[in-house]
Amino acid sequence: MAKKPVISYQFVDMPADKQETVKDIVQKNLEWKMDSYFKKIYANKDTAEIRIEYKIIENKQKKYEWSFNFNFDGKTFLYNNKIAFKFVEDIVNHAFKHCKEFLSKQDDS
């Protein structure tokens, strides 16, 4: 993929190994799950910009709270937690799953 999304993140009270795990899973999701969706966005407009911002917090119960903000050239999808997750790995995969569903609905309209 020639163009790449702009990624920014913030971790609060998370061990360094968990932070690296999250970054790796985000990268894998970008490369394998989202690539075809991103190509469509970039193909439709030369100046298209994709931004993904996320924040993950490890709370006092050692569970994870998060917010993901996906911006696809002006179309925004927010994914926040309602219930804290025990496994940080699940957060990222859930966020990108819901993101794909959002983009699929955009294609239908």
Side-chain angles (χ1 to χ4, degrees):
M1 178 168 44
K3 289 187 174 184
K4 296 199 179 274
V6 176
I7 309 295
S8 60
Y9 52 85
Q10 182 181 4
F11 298 107
V12 179
D13 297 329
M14 279 183 62
D17 63 323
K18 292 292 186 187
Q19 293 179 28
E20 290 306 314
T21 298
V22 167
K23 290 185 221 175
D24 288 344
I25 296 171
V26 166
Q27 193 58 41
K28 287 177 182 164
N29 273 280
L30 293 174
E31 291 172 1
W32 300 104
K33 292 183 182 175
M34 302 303 297
D35 188 49
S36 62
Y37 291 96
F38 292 167
K39 281 181 182 174
K40 285 180 189 176
I41 293 168
Y42 290 133
N44 288 336
K45 185 177 168 191
D46 287 344
T47 59
E49 187 173 84
I50 298 173
R51 293 184 167 276
I52 301 170
E53 300 171 3
Y54 61 94
K55 178 178 180 178
I56 302 177
I57 301 166
E58 185 175 305
N59 67 24
K60 288 180 175 32
Q61 292 78 35
K62 299 290 184 200
K63 292 188 176 183
Y64 300 96
E65 301 171 15
W66 68 90
S67 66
F68 277 77
N69 181 353
F70 297 89
N71 187 304
F72 304 104
D73 203 44
K75 292 181 182 177
T76 301
F77 173 69
L78 299 174
Y79 183 66
N80 301 315
N81 67 303
K82 292 178 178 66
I83 300 170
F85 276 31
K86 184 175 181 178
F87 300 106
V88 72
E89 298 84 353
D90 291 343
I91 293 168
V92 180
N93 291 322
H94 277 272
F96 279 94
K97 175 183 178 278
H98 289 282
C99 175
K100 279 175 48 177
E101 291 169 357
F102 170 80
L103 288 174
S104 292
K105 289 177 185 169
Q106 301 302 308
D107 288 345
D108 294 341
S109 51

